Amino acid sequence: MRHHQASPAHVIAFRTDSEPRQTRVDDPVIVDAPYEAKSWRCFTDASGRAISGIWEAGPHLERCICDYDEMCHILEGEVRLTDKDGNAQVFGAGESFVVSAGFEGTWENLTRVRKVFFILNP
């Protein structure tokens, strides 16, 4: 059993033992059916441009126009990303990818998904 001590300076552990941010996405322009997500923001840099943590949500399809870069590492589940031209790729547990600024298409949770994310805003 690990004991939680103070972390070394400038080292941030990704913990989910605190209350998550809960969000509901129900805008019909963005999603076909409403969904709820939980996230734990574990790190935000001083400028607010870089945000990182853990995110999870059940199955859903969301239309995206990304104006930021996001690195994702799937911990559980499967997602399918499809660009506006219909090119699709599925990512599952243990896989990492970047959705770069300029992506237009859909993000679809094929199952319940839990991921590590790192967002760099413009």
Side-chain angles (χ1 to χ4, degrees):
M1 175 134 200
R2 292 184 186 166
H3 296 287
H4 294 291
Q5 300 173 311
S7 294
H10 303 284
V11 175
I12 296 99
F14 278 38
R15 310 253 319 268
T16 57
D17 54 0
S18 62
E19 280 298 308
R21 289 176 181 230
Q22 300 206 30
T23 54
R24 178 176 170 83
V25 181
D26 55 14
D27 182 340
V29 172
I30 299 172
V31 291
D32 294 334
Y35 76 92
E36 294 185 3
K38 294 180 185 176
S39 64
W40 293 264
R41 287 195 178 173
C42 302
F43 171 77
T44 303
D45 77 337
S47 73
R49 289 183 59 219
I51 302 165
S52 192
I54 307 283
W55 176 90
E56 65 180 43
H60 69 276
L61 182 142
E62 185 168 347
R63 289 173 280 286
C64 308
I65 300 175
C66 293
D67 62 352
Y68 54 85
D69 299 313
E70 180 178 4
M71 184 283 234
C72 302
H73 177 77
I74 304 297
L75 297 170
E76 299 171 18
E78 281 191 330
V79 300
R80 177 172 44 227
L81 281 85
T82 306
D83 68 18
K84 64 183 178 181
D85 296 324
N87 301 304
Q89 188 163 359
V90 173
F91 296 95
E95 294 187 293
S96 301
F97 57 94
V98 169
V99 179
S100 64
F103 173 78
E104 291 184 43
T106 59
W107 171 291
E108 185 177 3
N109 277 15
L110 300 173
T111 62
R112 172 161 277 295
V113 170
R114 186 174 174 98
K115 71 176 180 178
V116 173
F117 67 89
F118 186 96
I119 293 172
L120 185 58
N121 287 296

